Amino acid sequence: MTVFNFSAGPAVLPREVLEQAAAEMLDWHGSGMSVMEMSHRGKEFISIYEQAERDLRELLAVPANYKILFMQGGALAENAIVPMNLVGHKAQPATVDFIDTGSWSAKSIKEAKKYANVNVAASAAHTKYNAIPERHTWQLSKDAAYVHICSNETIDGVEYHYVPDVAADTNGAPLVADMSSNILSRVIDVSKYGVIYAGAQKNIGPAGVTIVIVRDDLIGQALPVCPSAFDWKLVADNNSMYNTPPTYGIYIAGLVFQWLKRQGGVAAIELRNIAKADLLYDYLDSSSLYVSRIARECRSRMNVPFFLRDESLNDAFLAGAKDRGLLQLKGHKSVGGMRASIYNAMPIEGVRALVDYLKEFEKQHA
Ligand SMILES: *Cc1c(COP(=O)(O)O)cnc(C)c1O
């Protein structure tokens, strides 16, 4: 049976990548070693690392005045690492602005409060996070060290389809984005951001790698309490090898970057992601059994939460899906209902199979 895995993360990886990794598991390119067994300072691993960095830079057109760091701790650790690195040059405690659009921005806020005064400039909590607060409602601080957004709320299913402008929307403060669940899914202009960070396990590779893309002038402002291994300056000066990086995860991420280049790059995958999301949302909108509760203009292309109007059918729905090889569709416990995550590695065939099943189940329960 063909299986389609709709997990929100760790999530589906391209089959070709897993096959290549399997083929190279015991002996990478005639080196006689598995990538897991290589010194991170040896020429073999350095070549893997440099290729991954180059490919990611090319895929996202990362300008030369930005560093790409391969770190550890996931996006949740980076929620602390970001304020620790960005407020050291300010009078303490510094102020930082947040836009609260869902579970993940709420977690970012909680963590930043340990290192700074947090001003929640806007929050969608009162509408159960079904939309992004409009820009003109944001109550920004005068001198924030940065403005933080979560570009795609993995749990709630809302996504920014524009980039806040530093002059007009953030009062001149650098824009920081948690892009864990939509990085590489759409074309972005990196120069509009001060910092982009992302845990790998949604669109990049296995859990354990965190990508940080940071503008040069924002490096070197860490608080004295910042652990050395998390100080962007030390990490950047040592090409992400201040301490041992997550070598195997970086290798798999590198294979995913090569796969993405073979797909035609980010612009090509974005078109496919739009087609996949449209297919699913169009059916949900036409249905009387299912409903999407997210405002149309900020629906996520990556994570699609939806509900059965009759929630007593949830278990039957999930059991039938599993029988058809449609896996991990249960919604996050904080939201309930269902969630289909349709990251880059989910082929359109998977979304078609899901929509076919949605139709069939709807017919049975009309
Ligand atoms: C998954 C996710 C995180 C958490 O990542 P960890 O690797 O578990 O720390 C944070 N933010 C967003 C938007 C996510 O999707």
Side-chain angles (χ1 to χ4, degrees):
M1 179 171 59
T2 312
V3 160
F4 294 108
N5 176 0
F6 295 91
S7 170
V12 59
L13 284 166
R15 195 177 172 86
E16 279 170 57
V17 165
L18 296 177
E19 284 168 352
Q20 185 178 348
E24 295 177 345
M25 173 60 77
L26 297 181
D27 178 6
W28 183 82
H29 294 203
S31 65
M33 294 179 281
S34 173
V35 174
M36 272 183 259
E37 304 170 306
M38 292 174 179
S39 163
H40 56 297
R41 307 202 186 278
K43 68 175 185 339
E44 294 89 353
F45 184 74
I46 297 281
S47 75
I48 290 170
Y49 170 83
E50 287 179 347
Q51 184 73 46
E53 201 269 352
R54 250 195 323 271
D55 286 338
L56 180 57
R57 193 172 281 279
E58 181 185 324
L59 283 163
L60 288 177
V62 178
N65 63 324
Y66 284 73
K67 295 283 186 298
I68 298 178
L69 312 178
F70 291 83
M71 298 183 68
Q72 306 193 56
L76 223 48
E78 208 63 38
N79 284 342
I81 297 169
V82 166
M84 278 196 281
N85 274 277
L86 286 181
V87 304
H89 62 304
K90 297 270 192 189
Q92 299 301 312
T95 297
V96 296
D97 284 347
F98 276 74
I99 312 303
D100 174 24
T101 49
S103 298
W104 288 116
S105 30
K107 286 201 173 168
S108 299
I109 288 166
K110 184 172 167 222
E111 204 64 19
K113 282 183 174 165
K114 297 182 181 180
Y115 310 98
N117 275 330
V118 171
N119 169 47
V120 179
S123 173
H126 62 288
T127 63
K128 290 195 176 162
Y129 296 127
N130 74 341
I132 291 169
E134 288 190 50
R135 283 182 267 193
H136 67 86
T137 67
W138 298 3
Q139 304 282 318
L140 299 162
S141 313
K142 279 203 186 63
D143 188 29
Y146 61 91
V147 176
H148 180 282
I149 63 168
C150 177
S151 59
N152 182 67
E153 289 279 359
T154 321
I155 291 174
D156 304 275
V158 297
E159 180 172 10
Y160 284 81
H161 294 295
Y162 67 90
V163 186
D165 182 75
V166 168
D169 303 321
T170 75
N171 246 351
L175 181 64
V176 173
D178 175 357
M179 278 194 198
S180 294
S181 51
N182 71 346
I183 192 166
L184 292 169
S185 72
R186 58 190 300 154
V187 174
I188 56 167
D189 179 352
V190 173
S191 73
K192 296 195 164 177
Y193 299 86
V195 180
I196 291 168
Y197 66 95
Q201 69 271 26
K202 281 65 182 251
N203 246 345
I204 294 176
V209 183
T210 320
I211 302 287
V212 180
I213 303 173
V214 51
R215 205 173 63 215
D216 285 341
D217 62 292
L218 299 174
I219 295 176
Q221 304 175 346
L223 288 171
V225 296
C226 182
S228 303
F230 293 157
D231 181 334
W232 291 339
K233 176 147 178 53
L234 286 173
V235 179
D237 287 350
N238 290 281
N239 295 318
S240 301
M241 306 223 187
Y242 178 74
N243 67 330
T244 312
T247 52
Y248 197 76
I250 292 170
Y251 156 72
I252 299 286
L255 297 185
V256 172
F257 299 152
Q258 298 248 315
W259 170 84
L260 192 47
K261 285 171 69 175
R262 292 196 298 276
Q263 305 307 301
V266 175
I269 208 87
E270 178 174 10
L271 291 178
R272 280 182 234 170
N273 287 333
I274 291 170
K276 281 161 21 189
D278 284 351
L279 188 62
L280 184 49
Y281 284 115
D282 285 351
Y283 182 69
L284 294 173
D285 287 343
S286 74
S287 149
S288 47
L289 190 74
Y290 313 98
V291 61
S292 156
R293 296 183 183 153
I294 307 299
R296 274 167 199 270
E297 67 281 5
C298 41
R299 285 177 173 177
S300 170
R301 294 176 187 161
M302 296 284 101
N303 310 96
V304 183
F306 63 93
F307 298 83
L308 278 70
R309 289 181 199 271
D310 177 359
E311 300 235 297
S312 71
L313 295 174
N314 283 358
D315 290 345
F317 176 86
L318 287 168
K322 197 166 174 222
D323 285 346
R324 284 159 187 76
L326 307 173
L327 306 183
Q328 308 207 59
L329 281 165
K330 193 173 169 142
H332 189 271
K333 60 183 183 310
S334 67
V335 173
M338 308 297 153
R339 173 174 51 170
S341 295
I342 49 176
Y343 297 119
N344 285 354
M346 172 61 67
I348 192 146
E349 291 74 22
V351 181
R352 283 205 195 101
L354 174 60
V355 170
D356 287 347
Y357 173 61
L358 291 170
K359 284 182 190 163
E360 184 190 321
F361 189 85
E362 178 156 7
K363 232 184 244 157
Q364 282 165 10
H365 296 88

